[in-house]
Amino acid sequence: MRRSRSLLLSVAAAVVAAGMALYAVTPASAAATTATFAKTSDWGSGWQGQFTITNGGSSDMTSWRVEFALPSGTSVGSYWDALLTTSGQRYTFTNREYNGRVAPGQSVTFGFVGSGSGSPTGCLLNGVSCNGTVTPPTTPPTTPPTTPPTTNPPSGTTPVAKNGQLKVCGRQLCNAQGKAIQLRGMSTHGLQWYANCVNDSSLDVLAKEWNADVLRISMYIQEGGYETDPAGFTAKVNDLIEKATARGMYAIVDWHMLSPGDPNFNLARAKTFFTTIAARHKNKTNILYEIANEPSEVNWSSIKSYADQIIPVIRAQDADGVVLVGTEDWSSLGASGDGQGVSRILANPVNASNIMYTFHFYAASHDDYYLNTFRDAIAKLPMFVTEFGTQQASGDGGNNFAMAQRYLDLMAQNKVSWVNWNYSDDMRTGAVFTQGTCNAGAYSGTSRLKEAGVWVRDRIRTADDF
Ligand code: IDC
């Protein structure tokens, strides 16, 4: 009896020793796998929080579950990139089908909005302590050390100096004095491709020779955009905002989602991005937020739901910035679909004030049917044309200047602001500069402009009615 017991004990000791040896050769097992929490913004009565789950192990994690408690008076509202079950004050988040797998050394995040002032406690990741610190509420993100201090707009006669903070009044865009105004300007091409076309000298030309009122900063999310390098693209947008500001132009921060067409696909990214941008630039008077470039293959209620979630995130930082909301079927107000987009917006408008809806058109593709849809919308909704071209919807092919002029006349009569696509030297006809212009750094005058460039420059240069 004694003998077999001591045998058992020594077997047990060997197992423990083997286990420890195993642990020693693969040090990064459960102990280094963490779920860390941070409040990415806090507005007193609520906050936005994010968990980062990091696989410190040596094999793939195939699913995850994060559980924690919140004190009474604090609860979870909307959330993203996870599924949620609740039991009283206990919250259990599990992975979505697309983010359950986490390779060694990799991280995934999910986030949510908390109402109240408490923070998560008793966190468990897959049933084991999260091992991460629950960081205390942080102040909104501060300026990254690499970006220069924020710029003050010049005084004098620039568009921003004359008009100040814009506000939607009725269906119009109004300046700080309450006067309805029209802005006209240019959109960049995708910053992942043509950032070399937006620099101090090209923007001097845009502001001083073209007399542009507004620069649209077009940051793609997919196709090599934001999702590949959030910090890098955020820094680039910050830099271009400062450059527009220094020249007295308005800046539209264009969240250039395109494919997939459901803006909710990028909701978590949009929340992170717009929180950072709005916190940094909230004291400027020249920022407009375009939250969804071109939704497609998604119904209006999903676009509205996205807008209803992202606008409070922006407003928590920058209470008075005008927000521009994309519309059905590539911001065609549904004209590229069943044509009923305007009535669906009217029946179920975005739940916020100080917003406008967007319309995009390409004059060689979008004739009277689109123009009539747009005319109808102008009479009923606050509208902003954040993108148009004089050519086909591909941004290429022959120009239809006569059709484009009909749109411009309608917009002038109704003081609808517009932005043309695009201020780059891409090979397509819709890029204003001939190929090679940006490398040559020769933006001044008209010798480097394509036909569409000459045409739109003439129409941006005419006097403003501020
Ligand atoms: C086009 C660019 C083209 C690029 C393509 C892919 O001109 O170089 O390869 O995007 O994203 C839009 C979009 C805008 C399009 C533009 C022209 O908002 O991204 O740019 N367009 O096709 N909607 C209608 C037309």
PDB file of all heavy atoms in Angstrom, residues 259-295:
ATOM      1  N   SER A 259     -15.938  49.634 -51.146  1.00  0.00           N
ATOM      2  CA  SER A 259     -16.231  48.213 -51.260  1.00  0.00           C
ATOM      3  C   SER A 259     -15.513  47.482 -50.127  1.00  0.00           C
ATOM      4  O   SER A 259     -14.296  47.612 -50.023  1.00  0.00           O
ATOM      5  CB  SER A 259     -15.728  47.703 -52.614  1.00  0.00           C
ATOM      6  OG  SER A 259     -16.002  46.340 -52.731  1.00  0.00           O
ATOM      7  N   PRO A 260     -16.231  46.795 -49.249  1.00  0.00           N
ATOM      8  CA  PRO A 260     -17.656  46.536 -49.287  1.00  0.00           C
ATOM      9  C   PRO A 260     -18.496  47.795 -49.063  1.00  0.00           C
ATOM     10  O   PRO A 260     -18.055  48.730 -48.415  1.00  0.00           O
ATOM     11  CB  PRO A 260     -17.866  45.526 -48.155  1.00  0.00           C
ATOM     12  CG  PRO A 260     -16.718  45.697 -47.245  1.00  0.00           C
ATOM     13  CD  PRO A 260     -15.576  46.162 -48.077  1.00  0.00           C
ATOM     14  N   GLY A 261     -19.723  47.735 -49.607  1.00  0.00           N
ATOM     15  CA  GLY A 261     -20.578  48.910 -49.617  1.00  0.00           C
ATOM     16  C   GLY A 261     -21.360  49.159 -48.339  1.00  0.00           C
ATOM     17  O   GLY A 261     -21.991  50.213 -48.211  1.00  0.00           O
ATOM     18  N   ASP A 262     -21.354  48.212 -47.416  1.00  0.00           N
ATOM     19  CA  ASP A 262     -22.060  48.436 -46.151  1.00  0.00           C
ATOM     20  C   ASP A 262     -21.133  49.196 -45.207  1.00  0.00           C
ATOM     21  O   ASP A 262     -20.107  48.668 -44.785  1.00  0.00           O
ATOM     22  CB  ASP A 262     -22.459  47.089 -45.532  1.00  0.00           C
ATOM     23  CG  ASP A 262     -23.245  47.260 -44.243  1.00  0.00           C
ATOM     24  OD1 ASP A 262     -23.316  48.403 -43.724  1.00  0.00           O
ATOM     25  OD2 ASP A 262     -23.791  46.251 -43.745  1.00  0.00           O
ATOM     26  N   PRO A 263     -21.480  50.439 -44.870  1.00  0.00           N
ATOM     27  CA  PRO A 263     -20.571  51.207 -44.008  1.00  0.00           C
ATOM     28  C   PRO A 263     -20.353  50.548 -42.650  1.00  0.00           C
ATOM     29  O   PRO A 263     -19.327  50.775 -42.016  1.00  0.00           O
ATOM     30  CB  PRO A 263     -21.259  52.570 -43.868  1.00  0.00           C
ATOM     31  CG  PRO A 263     -22.664  52.367 -44.288  1.00  0.00           C
ATOM     32  CD  PRO A 263     -22.676  51.211 -45.245  1.00  0.00           C
ATOM     33  N   ASN A 264     -21.305  49.711 -42.220  1.00  0.00           N
ATOM     34  CA  ASN A 264     -21.138  49.049 -40.920  1.00  0.00           C
ATOM     35  C   ASN A 264     -19.941  48.098 -40.907  1.00  0.00           C
ATOM     36  O   ASN A 264     -19.429  47.767 -39.841  1.00  0.00           O
ATOM     37  CB  ASN A 264     -22.412  48.293 -40.546  1.00  0.00           C
ATOM     38  CG  ASN A 264     -23.553  49.261 -40.326  1.00  0.00           C
ATOM     39  OD1 ASN A 264     -23.545  50.021 -39.362  1.00  0.00           O
ATOM     40  ND2 ASN A 264     -24.517  49.271 -41.240  1.00  0.00           N
ATOM     41  N   PHE A 265     -19.515  47.665 -42.075  1.00  0.00           N
ATOM     42  CA  PHE A 265     -18.337  46.791 -42.143  1.00  0.00           C
ATOM     43  C   PHE A 265     -17.135  47.463 -41.494  1.00  0.00           C
ATOM     44  O   PHE A 265     -16.285  46.813 -40.887  1.00  0.00           O
ATOM     45  CB  PHE A 265     -18.021  46.444 -43.604  1.00  0.00           C
ATOM     46  CG  PHE A 265     -16.826  45.546 -43.759  1.00  0.00           C
ATOM     47  CD1 PHE A 265     -16.948  44.170 -43.623  1.00  0.00           C
ATOM     48  CD2 PHE A 265     -15.574  46.076 -44.039  1.00  0.00           C
ATOM     49  CE1 PHE A 265     -15.838  43.342 -43.757  1.00  0.00           C
ATOM     50  CE2 PHE A 265     -14.455  45.249 -44.174  1.00  0.00           C
ATOM     51  CZ  PHE A 265     -14.599  43.879 -44.035  1.00  0.00           C
ATOM     52  N   ASN A 266     -17.037  48.780 -41.650  1.00  0.00           N
ATOM     53  CA  ASN A 266     -15.891  49.527 -41.123  1.00  0.00           C
ATOM     54  C   ASN A 266     -16.247  50.370 -39.894  1.00  0.00           C
ATOM     55  O   ASN A 266     -15.530  51.319 -39.579  1.00  0.00           O
ATOM     56  CB  ASN A 266     -15.331  50.435 -42.213  1.00  0.00           C
ATOM     57  CG  ASN A 266     -14.637  49.663 -43.324  1.00  0.00           C
ATOM     58  OD1 ASN A 266     -13.734  48.887 -43.054  1.00  0.00           O
ATOM     59  ND2 ASN A 266     -15.083  49.846 -44.564  1.00  0.00           N
ATOM     60  N   LEU A 267     -17.335  50.008 -39.218  1.00  0.00           N
ATOM     61  CA  LEU A 267     -17.818  50.855 -38.116  1.00  0.00           C
ATOM     62  C   LEU A 267     -16.763  51.040 -37.023  1.00  0.00           C
ATOM     63  O   LEU A 267     -16.516  52.160 -36.568  1.00  0.00           O
ATOM     64  CB  LEU A 267     -19.106  50.247 -37.531  1.00  0.00           C
ATOM     65  CG  LEU A 267     -19.692  50.979 -36.321  1.00  0.00           C
ATOM     66  CD1 LEU A 267     -20.118  52.393 -36.687  1.00  0.00           C
ATOM     67  CD2 LEU A 267     -20.875  50.208 -35.748  1.00  0.00           C
ATOM     68  N   ALA A 268     -16.149  49.946 -36.593  1.00  0.00           N
ATOM     69  CA  ALA A 268     -15.173  50.068 -35.490  1.00  0.00           C
ATOM     70  C   ALA A 268     -14.005  50.945 -35.919  1.00  0.00           C
ATOM     71  O   ALA A 268     -13.542  51.803 -35.160  1.00  0.00           O
ATOM     72  CB  ALA A 268     -14.673  48.695 -35.073  1.00  0.00           C
ATOM     73  N   ARG A 269     -13.541  50.743 -37.139  1.00  0.00           N
ATOM     74  CA  ARG A 269     -12.434  51.578 -37.636  1.00  0.00           C
ATOM     75  C   ARG A 269     -12.856  53.038 -37.708  1.00  0.00           C
ATOM     76  O   ARG A 269     -12.106  53.940 -37.366  1.00  0.00           O
ATOM     77  CB  ARG A 269     -12.017  51.114 -39.034  1.00  0.00           C
ATOM     78  CG  ARG A 269     -11.403  49.753 -39.077  1.00  0.00           C
ATOM     79  CD  ARG A 269     -10.926  49.428 -40.503  1.00  0.00           C
ATOM     80  NE  ARG A 269     -10.483  48.050 -40.573  1.00  0.00           N
ATOM     81  CZ  ARG A 269     -11.233  47.051 -41.029  1.00  0.00           C
ATOM     82  NH1 ARG A 269     -12.449  47.271 -41.496  1.00  0.00           N
ATOM     83  NH2 ARG A 269     -10.773  45.823 -41.033  1.00  0.00           N
ATOM     84  N   ALA A 270     -14.074  53.271 -38.194  1.00  0.00           N
ATOM     85  CA  ALA A 270     -14.552  54.654 -38.322  1.00  0.00           C
ATOM     86  C   ALA A 270     -14.631  55.319 -36.952  1.00  0.00           C
ATOM     87  O   ALA A 270     -14.292  56.498 -36.807  1.00  0.00           O
ATOM     88  CB  ALA A 270     -15.917  54.677 -39.010  1.00  0.00           C
ATOM     89  N   LYS A 271     -15.061  54.577 -35.947  1.00  0.00           N
ATOM     90  CA  LYS A 271     -15.154  55.164 -34.604  1.00  0.00           C
ATOM     91  C   LYS A 271     -13.772  55.568 -34.102  1.00  0.00           C
ATOM     92  O   LYS A 271     -13.602  56.658 -33.550  1.00  0.00           O
ATOM     93  CB  LYS A 271     -15.804  54.169 -33.642  1.00  0.00           C
ATOM     94  CG  LYS A 271     -17.291  54.034 -33.892  1.00  0.00           C
ATOM     95  CD  LYS A 271     -17.969  53.197 -32.833  1.00  0.00           C
ATOM     96  CE  LYS A 271     -19.475  53.252 -33.043  1.00  0.00           C
ATOM     97  NZ  LYS A 271     -20.219  52.455 -32.084  1.00  0.00           N
ATOM     98  N   THR A 272     -12.823  54.706 -34.294  1.00  0.00           N
ATOM     99  CA  THR A 272     -11.462  55.015 -33.847  1.00  0.00           C
ATOM    100  C   THR A 272     -10.921  56.226 -34.601  1.00  0.00           C
ATOM    101  O   THR A 272     -10.410  57.180 -34.008  1.00  0.00           O
ATOM    102  CB  THR A 272     -10.541  53.800 -34.099  1.00  0.00           C
ATOM    103  OG1 THR A 272     -11.081  52.682 -33.402  1.00  0.00           O
ATOM    104  CG2 THR A 272      -9.127  54.061 -33.634  1.00  0.00           C
ATOM    105  N   PHE A 273     -11.056  56.194 -35.922  1.00  0.00           N
ATOM    106  CA  PHE A 273     -10.504  57.261 -36.754  1.00  0.00           C
ATOM    107  C   PHE A 273     -11.154  58.606 -36.430  1.00  0.00           C
ATOM    108  O   PHE A 273     -10.465  59.602 -36.170  1.00  0.00           O
ATOM    109  CB  PHE A 273     -10.715  56.915 -38.227  1.00  0.00           C
ATOM    110  CG  PHE A 273     -10.357  58.024 -39.175  1.00  0.00           C
ATOM    111  CD1 PHE A 273      -9.033  58.318 -39.459  1.00  0.00           C
ATOM    112  CD2 PHE A 273     -11.350  58.774 -39.795  1.00  0.00           C
ATOM    113  CE1 PHE A 273      -8.704  59.344 -40.332  1.00  0.00           C
ATOM    114  CE2 PHE A 273     -11.029  59.804 -40.663  1.00  0.00           C
ATOM    115  CZ  PHE A 273      -9.699  60.097 -40.930  1.00  0.00           C
ATOM    116  N   PHE A 274     -12.484  58.651 -36.451  1.00  0.00           N
ATOM    117  CA  PHE A 274     -13.148  59.946 -36.263  1.00  0.00           C
ATOM    118  C   PHE A 274     -12.968  60.479 -34.840  1.00  0.00           C
ATOM    119  O   PHE A 274     -12.926  61.691 -34.635  1.00  0.00           O
ATOM    120  CB  PHE A 274     -14.624  59.860 -36.646  1.00  0.00           C
ATOM    121  CG  PHE A 274     -14.838  59.959 -38.134  1.00  0.00           C
ATOM    122  CD1 PHE A 274     -15.332  58.884 -38.861  1.00  0.00           C
ATOM    123  CD2 PHE A 274     -14.527  61.123 -38.824  1.00  0.00           C
ATOM    124  CE1 PHE A 274     -15.523  58.971 -40.237  1.00  0.00           C
ATOM    125  CE2 PHE A 274     -14.712  61.224 -40.206  1.00  0.00           C
ATOM    126  CZ  PHE A 274     -15.210  60.147 -40.904  1.00  0.00           C
ATOM    127  N   THR A 275     -12.849  59.588 -33.851  1.00  0.00           N
ATOM    128  CA  THR A 275     -12.568  60.058 -32.492  1.00  0.00           C
ATOM    129  C   THR A 275     -11.237  60.799 -32.474  1.00  0.00           C
ATOM    130  O   THR A 275     -11.112  61.893 -31.917  1.00  0.00           O
ATOM    131  CB  THR A 275     -12.540  58.867 -31.508  1.00  0.00           C
ATOM    132  OG1 THR A 275     -13.826  58.262 -31.489  1.00  0.00           O
ATOM    133  CG2 THR A 275     -12.181  59.325 -30.105  1.00  0.00           C
ATOM    134  N   THR A 276     -10.245  60.214 -33.107  1.00  0.00           N
ATOM    135  CA  THR A 276      -8.903  60.816 -33.112  1.00  0.00           C
ATOM    136  C   THR A 276      -8.901  62.137 -33.872  1.00  0.00           C
ATOM    137  O   THR A 276      -8.367  63.144 -33.401  1.00  0.00           O
ATOM    138  CB  THR A 276      -7.905  59.837 -33.767  1.00  0.00           C
ATOM    139  OG1 THR A 276      -8.023  58.580 -33.106  1.00  0.00           O
ATOM    140  CG2 THR A 276      -6.490  60.332 -33.653  1.00  0.00           C
ATOM    141  N   ILE A 277      -9.506  62.122 -35.063  1.00  0.00           N
ATOM    142  CA  ILE A 277      -9.508  63.337 -35.898  1.00  0.00           C
ATOM    143  C   ILE A 277     -10.307  64.453 -35.223  1.00  0.00           C
ATOM    144  O   ILE A 277      -9.844  65.601 -35.122  1.00  0.00           O
ATOM    145  CB  ILE A 277     -10.099  63.014 -37.288  1.00  0.00           C
ATOM    146  CG1 ILE A 277      -9.191  62.050 -38.069  1.00  0.00           C
ATOM    147  CG2 ILE A 277     -10.357  64.298 -38.090  1.00  0.00           C
ATOM    148  CD1 ILE A 277      -7.861  62.614 -38.511  1.00  0.00           C
ATOM    149  N   ALA A 278     -11.488  64.119 -34.743  1.00  0.00           N
ATOM    150  CA  ALA A 278     -12.341  65.163 -34.164  1.00  0.00           C
ATOM    151  C   ALA A 278     -11.749  65.704 -32.874  1.00  0.00           C
ATOM    152  O   ALA A 278     -11.857  66.902 -32.590  1.00  0.00           O
ATOM    153  CB  ALA A 278     -13.752  64.620 -33.932  1.00  0.00           C
ATOM    154  N   ALA A 279     -11.093  64.857 -32.094  1.00  0.00           N
ATOM    155  CA  ALA A 279     -10.478  65.346 -30.848  1.00  0.00           C
ATOM    156  C   ALA A 279      -9.348  66.320 -31.176  1.00  0.00           C
ATOM    157  O   ALA A 279      -9.211  67.355 -30.537  1.00  0.00           O
ATOM    158  CB  ALA A 279      -9.944  64.172 -30.031  1.00  0.00           C
ATOM    159  N   ARG A 280      -8.588  66.004 -32.179  1.00  0.00           N
ATOM    160  CA  ARG A 280      -7.449  66.879 -32.508  1.00  0.00           C
ATOM    161  C   ARG A 280      -7.903  68.217 -33.103  1.00  0.00           C
ATOM    162  O   ARG A 280      -7.297  69.256 -32.862  1.00  0.00           O
ATOM    163  CB  ARG A 280      -6.511  66.173 -33.489  1.00  0.00           C
ATOM    164  CG  ARG A 280      -5.335  67.043 -33.888  1.00  0.00           C
ATOM    165  CD  ARG A 280      -4.351  66.331 -34.790  1.00  0.00           C
ATOM    166  NE  ARG A 280      -3.532  67.287 -35.500  1.00  0.00           N
ATOM    167  CZ  ARG A 280      -2.367  67.756 -35.073  1.00  0.00           C
ATOM    168  NH1 ARG A 280      -1.875  67.353 -33.931  1.00  0.00           N
ATOM    169  NH2 ARG A 280      -1.702  68.643 -35.781  1.00  0.00           N
ATOM    170  N   HIS A 281      -8.950  68.191 -33.915  1.00  0.00           N
ATOM    171  CA  HIS A 281      -9.289  69.399 -34.676  1.00  0.00           C
ATOM    172  C   HIS A 281     -10.553  70.102 -34.180  1.00  0.00           C
ATOM    173  O   HIS A 281     -11.083  70.957 -34.872  1.00  0.00           O
ATOM    174  CB  HIS A 281      -9.428  69.030 -36.162  1.00  0.00           C
ATOM    175  CG  HIS A 281      -8.184  68.404 -36.714  1.00  0.00           C
ATOM    176  ND1 HIS A 281      -7.026  69.120 -36.944  1.00  0.00           N
ATOM    177  CD2 HIS A 281      -7.887  67.116 -37.021  1.00  0.00           C
ATOM    178  CE1 HIS A 281      -6.078  68.300 -37.394  1.00  0.00           C
ATOM    179  NE2 HIS A 281      -6.578  67.086 -37.443  1.00  0.00           N
ATOM    180  N   LYS A 282     -11.022  69.723 -33.012  1.00  0.00           N
ATOM    181  CA  LYS A 282     -12.332  70.223 -32.548  1.00  0.00           C
ATOM    182  C   LYS A 282     -12.378  71.739 -32.423  1.00  0.00           C
ATOM    183  O   LYS A 282     -13.443  72.334 -32.533  1.00  0.00           O
ATOM    184  CB  LYS A 282     -12.700  69.576 -31.214  1.00  0.00           C
ATOM    185  CG  LYS A 282     -11.764  69.929 -30.091  1.00  0.00           C
ATOM    186  CD  LYS A 282     -12.115  69.180 -28.824  1.00  0.00           C
ATOM    187  CE  LYS A 282     -11.020  69.394 -27.797  1.00  0.00           C
ATOM    188  NZ  LYS A 282     -11.030  68.372 -26.768  1.00  0.00           N
ATOM    189  N   ASN A 283     -11.229  72.373 -32.185  1.00  0.00           N
ATOM    190  CA  ASN A 283     -11.257  73.834 -32.030  1.00  0.00           C
ATOM    191  C   ASN A 283     -11.134  74.578 -33.350  1.00  0.00           C
ATOM    192  O   ASN A 283     -11.202  75.802 -33.389  1.00  0.00           O
ATOM    193  CB  ASN A 283     -10.153  74.290 -31.066  1.00  0.00           C
ATOM    194  CG  ASN A 283     -10.428  73.789 -29.660  1.00  0.00           C
ATOM    195  OD1 ASN A 283     -11.597  73.691 -29.251  1.00  0.00           O
ATOM    196  ND2 ASN A 283      -9.391  73.426 -28.938  1.00  0.00           N
ATOM    197  N   LYS A 284     -10.966  73.842 -34.428  1.00  0.00           N
ATOM    198  CA  LYS A 284     -10.938  74.499 -35.732  1.00  0.00           C
ATOM    199  C   LYS A 284     -12.372  74.761 -36.195  1.00  0.00           C
ATOM    200  O   LYS A 284     -13.305  74.063 -35.794  1.00  0.00           O
ATOM    201  CB  LYS A 284     -10.229  73.606 -36.760  1.00  0.00           C
ATOM    202  CG  LYS A 284      -8.726  73.415 -36.489  1.00  0.00           C
ATOM    203  CD  LYS A 284      -8.075  72.717 -37.669  1.00  0.00           C
ATOM    204  CE  LYS A 284      -6.564  72.674 -37.570  1.00  0.00           C
ATOM    205  NZ  LYS A 284      -6.054  71.774 -36.545  1.00  0.00           N
ATOM    206  N   THR A 285     -12.504  75.740 -37.084  1.00  0.00           N
ATOM    207  CA  THR A 285     -13.850  76.064 -37.586  1.00  0.00           C
ATOM    208  C   THR A 285     -14.065  75.519 -38.992  1.00  0.00           C
ATOM    209  O   THR A 285     -15.123  75.732 -39.578  1.00  0.00           O
ATOM    210  CB  THR A 285     -14.037  77.593 -37.628  1.00  0.00           C
ATOM    211  OG1 THR A 285     -12.998  78.154 -38.433  1.00  0.00           O
ATOM    212  CG2 THR A 285     -13.996  78.196 -36.235  1.00  0.00           C
ATOM    213  N   ASN A 286     -13.067  74.824 -39.551  1.00  0.00           N
ATOM    214  CA  ASN A 286     -13.139  74.512 -40.994  1.00  0.00           C
ATOM    215  C   ASN A 286     -13.243  73.025 -41.314  1.00  0.00           C
ATOM    216  O   ASN A 286     -12.918  72.625 -42.423  1.00  0.00           O
ATOM    217  CB  ASN A 286     -11.901  75.098 -41.698  1.00  0.00           C
ATOM    218  CG  ASN A 286     -10.607  74.464 -41.213  1.00  0.00           C
ATOM    219  OD1 ASN A 286     -10.477  74.148 -40.040  1.00  0.00           O
ATOM    220  ND2 ASN A 286      -9.664  74.277 -42.105  1.00  0.00           N
ATOM    221  N   ILE A 287     -13.671  72.206 -40.356  1.00  0.00           N
ATOM    222  CA  ILE A 287     -13.704  70.760 -40.601  1.00  0.00           C
ATOM    223  C   ILE A 287     -15.136  70.295 -40.859  1.00  0.00           C
ATOM    224  O   ILE A 287     -16.056  70.641 -40.114  1.00  0.00           O
ATOM    225  CB  ILE A 287     -13.145  69.968 -39.396  1.00  0.00           C
ATOM    226  CG1 ILE A 287     -11.837  70.576 -38.882  1.00  0.00           C
ATOM    227  CG2 ILE A 287     -12.979  68.490 -39.752  1.00  0.00           C
ATOM    228  CD1 ILE A 287     -10.698  70.557 -39.855  1.00  0.00           C
ATOM    229  N   LEU A 288     -15.314  69.527 -41.939  1.00  0.00           N
ATOM    230  CA  LEU A 288     -16.574  68.835 -42.187  1.00  0.00           C
ATOM    231  C   LEU A 288     -16.260  67.342 -42.221  1.00  0.00           C
ATOM    232  O   LEU A 288     -15.202  66.939 -42.718  1.00  0.00           O
ATOM    233  CB  LEU A 288     -17.207  69.261 -43.519  1.00  0.00           C
ATOM    234  CG  LEU A 288     -17.631  70.726 -43.628  1.00  0.00           C
ATOM    235  CD1 LEU A 288     -16.552  71.549 -44.309  1.00  0.00           C
ATOM    236  CD2 LEU A 288     -18.926  70.856 -44.414  1.00  0.00           C
ATOM    237  N   TYR A 289     -17.149  66.554 -41.682  1.00  0.00           N
ATOM    238  CA  TYR A 289     -16.909  65.116 -41.571  1.00  0.00           C
ATOM    239  C   TYR A 289     -17.815  64.375 -42.547  1.00  0.00           C
ATOM    240  O   TYR A 289     -19.043  64.413 -42.407  1.00  0.00           O
ATOM    241  CB  TYR A 289     -17.209  64.643 -40.143  1.00  0.00           C
ATOM    242  CG  TYR A 289     -16.388  65.358 -39.091  1.00  0.00           C
ATOM    243  CD1 TYR A 289     -16.873  66.512 -38.462  1.00  0.00           C
ATOM    244  CD2 TYR A 289     -15.134  64.892 -38.735  1.00  0.00           C
ATOM    245  CE1 TYR A 289     -16.125  67.174 -37.500  1.00  0.00           C
ATOM    246  CE2 TYR A 289     -14.370  65.557 -37.771  1.00  0.00           C
ATOM    247  CZ  TYR A 289     -14.877  66.692 -37.155  1.00  0.00           C
ATOM    248  OH  TYR A 289     -14.128  67.347 -36.204  1.00  0.00           O
ATOM    249  N   GLU A 290     -17.226  63.706 -43.527  1.00  0.00           N
ATOM    250  CA  GLU A 290     -18.011  62.893 -44.469  1.00  0.00           C
ATOM    251  C   GLU A 290     -17.840  61.437 -44.039  1.00  0.00           C
ATOM    252  O   GLU A 290     -16.768  60.847 -44.231  1.00  0.00           O
ATOM    253  CB  GLU A 290     -17.517  63.105 -45.908  1.00  0.00           C
ATOM    254  CG  GLU A 290     -18.371  62.365 -46.914  1.00  0.00           C
ATOM    255  CD  GLU A 290     -17.967  62.644 -48.365  1.00  0.00           C
ATOM    256  OE1 GLU A 290     -17.004  63.394 -48.603  1.00  0.00           O
ATOM    257  OE2 GLU A 290     -18.624  62.083 -49.250  1.00  0.00           O
ATOM    258  N   ILE A 291     -18.901  60.872 -43.481  1.00  0.00           N
ATOM    259  CA  ILE A 291     -18.734  59.617 -42.739  1.00  0.00           C
ATOM    260  C   ILE A 291     -18.831  58.364 -43.606  1.00  0.00           C
ATOM    261  O   ILE A 291     -18.466  57.290 -43.161  1.00  0.00           O
ATOM    262  CB  ILE A 291     -19.747  59.538 -41.572  1.00  0.00           C
ATOM    263  CG1 ILE A 291     -21.184  59.625 -42.089  1.00  0.00           C
ATOM    264  CG2 ILE A 291     -19.451  60.621 -40.548  1.00  0.00           C
ATOM    265  CD1 ILE A 291     -22.230  59.418 -41.010  1.00  0.00           C
ATOM    266  N   ALA A 292     -19.341  58.484 -44.820  1.00  0.00           N
ATOM    267  CA  ALA A 292     -19.460  57.298 -45.688  1.00  0.00           C
ATOM    268  C   ALA A 292     -19.513  57.763 -47.134  1.00  0.00           C
ATOM    269  O   ALA A 292     -20.560  58.224 -47.605  1.00  0.00           O
ATOM    270  CB  ALA A 292     -20.706  56.496 -45.349  1.00  0.00           C
ATOM    271  N   ASN A 293     -18.417  57.605 -47.837  1.00  0.00           N
ATOM    272  CA  ASN A 293     -18.323  58.081 -49.217  1.00  0.00           C
ATOM    273  C   ASN A 293     -19.460  57.556 -50.089  1.00  0.00           C
ATOM    274  O   ASN A 293     -20.271  58.334 -50.586  1.00  0.00           O
ATOM    275  CB  ASN A 293     -16.971  57.658 -49.794  1.00  0.00           C
ATOM    276  CG  ASN A 293     -16.886  57.759 -51.301  1.00  0.00           C
ATOM    277  OD1 ASN A 293     -17.226  58.784 -51.876  1.00  0.00           O
ATOM    278  ND2 ASN A 293     -16.454  56.690 -51.956  1.00  0.00           N
ATOM    279  N   GLU A 294     -19.496  56.252 -50.300  1.00  0.00           N
ATOM    280  CA  GLU A 294     -20.494  55.693 -51.213  1.00  0.00           C
ATOM    281  C   GLU A 294     -20.982  54.334 -50.725  1.00  0.00           C
ATOM    282  O   GLU A 294     -20.425  53.290 -51.089  1.00  0.00           O
ATOM    283  CB  GLU A 294     -19.919  55.574 -52.634  1.00  0.00           C
ATOM    284  CG  GLU A 294     -19.706  56.924 -53.298  1.00  0.00           C
ATOM    285  CD  GLU A 294     -19.363  56.823 -54.773  1.00  0.00           C
ATOM    286  OE1 GLU A 294     -19.134  55.713 -55.288  1.00  0.00           O
ATOM    287  OE2 GLU A 294     -19.337  57.893 -55.432  1.00  0.00           O
ATOM    288  N   PRO A 295     -22.053  54.334 -49.935  1.00  0.00           N
ATOM    289  CA  PRO A 295     -22.660  53.049 -49.572  1.00  0.00           C
ATOM    290  C   PRO A 295     -23.257  52.387 -50.827  1.00  0.00           C
ATOM    291  O   PRO A 295     -23.697  53.070 -51.757  1.00  0.00           O
ATOM    292  CB  PRO A 295     -23.785  53.447 -48.605  1.00  0.00           C
ATOM    293  CG  PRO A 295     -23.425  54.827 -48.127  1.00  0.00           C
ATOM    294  CD  PRO A 295     -22.703  55.467 -49.271  1.00  0.00           C
TER     295      PRO A 295
END
